[in-house]
Amino acid sequence: MSNDSTDVIWQKLREESRQKADSEPILASYLHATILNHRRLMDALSFHLASKLANPNLSAMSIREFMNEAFDKSRDVQDAIRRDLEAVIERDPASHGISEPFLHYKGFHALEAYRVSHWLWENDRHALACYMQNRISEVFAVDIHPAARIGQGILIDHATSVVIGETAVVEDDVSMLHAVTLGGTGKTTRDRHPKVRRGVLIGAGAKILGNVNVGEGSKIAAGSVVLTDVPPHTTVAGVPAVVVGRPATEEPSLEMDHRIGEKTLN
């Protein structure tokens, strides 16, 4: 993402925050502390997340220190955060502007905190990464192992009870709702979690279990249990899930249409 685009996102976030501070003075101190007093998007985000994740064992100042280190040393983390924020704005009809998801959406908060824990894991700081996993789970009710690999432009809508296991892979532009599990099937070791390819839409409460491949542009209906590979550009539903049709678009994650009867297979 270009610097110009980055500036646009930050300036729009500041503009919306100023308007909210003027229209709702009781929130002015909160908005100034969280957004308006900072010089860049990453500074505001580290302050906001650290404030939520801090506890008596680890101060907000200490959390901000390693979060800012991750942001400063990894352009990939910065780009992923901006793309995730854009994904929420573009795909969630409840999102009115940029400030609401930044301030209030715990799916966004959990995902960006995970990105810091993943950076820690990749830099052999496993103890702190696992501590962060635990705090993210306690605060946001989202449990993502820091070793999981998650792409950019991800939407985790509502987010409560989402679980993503250690060897899971989630590629770019995936959308999922609350209570989704990307888990194992028991005590299998090593590579044991799902691989979710680009553009997949996963409905609320869906469970994808084992080292299965969820093909690009596919759709998993709400409440389904997926135990076998899902072909690209198909819709699956049921317990266990079976192919019931095809999504109406190549990337159903962008449309967020959870109906399962758009196209039937011949």
Side-chain angles (χ1 to χ4, degrees):
M1 182 174 292
S2 69
N3 289 331
D4 289 341
S5 297
T6 300
D7 289 340
V8 168
I9 290 173
W10 178 229
Q11 292 307 318
K12 184 166 181 57
L13 179 59
R14 290 177 60 83
E15 179 184 345
E16 287 184 17
S17 300
R18 287 193 192 97
Q19 292 172 353
K20 288 186 175 183
D22 291 340
S23 64
E24 192 60 83
I26 198 170
L27 292 177
S29 294
Y30 165 64
L31 292 166
H32 277 273
T34 306
I35 295 172
L36 296 173
N37 290 347
H38 302 283
R39 64 182 180 85
R40 60 173 189 159
L41 179 65
M42 295 302 142
D43 292 337
L45 183 60
S46 68
F47 177 90
H48 195 35
L49 293 179
S51 299
K52 291 178 176 291
L53 292 168
N55 69 6
N57 297 315
L58 192 62
S59 69
M61 184 178 297
S62 296
I63 295 173
R64 282 200 77 191
E65 184 175 345
F66 64 74
M67 281 191 166
N68 285 331
E69 183 183 3
F71 297 156
D72 290 342
K73 291 184 176 180
S74 176
R75 182 69 189 191
D76 287 343
V77 172
Q78 291 191 38
D79 289 345
I81 288 167
R82 293 185 180 98
R83 287 211 42 207
D84 295 341
L85 188 55
E86 291 174 334
V88 180
I89 297 164
E90 293 166 359
R91 299 178 211 167
D92 185 352
S95 174
H96 303 291
I98 193 171
S99 58
E100 287 187 10
F102 182 89
L103 289 168
H104 307 311
Y105 285 19
K106 69 177 184 177
F108 174 74
H109 297 156
L111 181 59
E112 307 329 317
Y114 146 79
R115 295 199 184 282
V116 174
S117 73
H118 181 70
W119 181 86
L120 292 167
W121 185 272
E122 292 291 292
N123 284 275
D124 295 323
R125 299 171 70 179
H126 290 186
L128 184 54
C130 290
Y131 181 89
M132 280 288 289
Q133 177 191 1
N134 176 256
R135 285 299 294 150
I136 294 164
S137 179
E138 290 178 337
V139 173
F140 303 124
V142 175
D143 192 347
I144 307 176
H145 195 284
R149 291 178 286 155
I150 300 180
Q152 302 183 2
I154 306 300
L155 170 61
I156 306 180
D157 196 9
H158 300 293
T160 300
S161 297
V162 165
V163 176
I164 300 178
E166 179 183 15
T167 61
V169 174
V170 178
E171 293 186 351
D172 294 349
D173 299 320
V174 168
S175 296
M176 66 183 75
L177 273 79
H178 52 285
V180 163
T181 296
L182 306 181
T185 57
K187 292 185 68 64
T188 304
T189 58
R190 299 188 180 181
D191 195 358
R192 61 195 184 278
H193 295 106
K195 311 299 180 282
V196 180
R197 304 307 176 189
R198 177 187 294 269
V200 172
L201 174 61
I202 308 176
K207 316 300 179 189
I208 307 173
L209 305 177
N211 187 14
V212 299
N213 189 70
V214 180
E216 180 176 348
S218 59
K219 183 188 294 189
I220 313 299
S224 299
V225 177
V226 177
L227 301 173
T228 58
D229 289 352
V230 176
H233 306 292
T234 59
T235 299
V236 300
V239 182
V242 296
V243 175
V244 296
R246 295 181 60 87
T249 62
E250 291 297 299
E251 291 185 281
S253 63
L254 306 185
E255 301 298 325
M256 297 296 290
D257 185 347
H258 290 272
R259 294 174 295 177
I260 61 174
E262 310 95 335
K263 293 183 178 182
T264 57
L265 294 173
N266 294 325

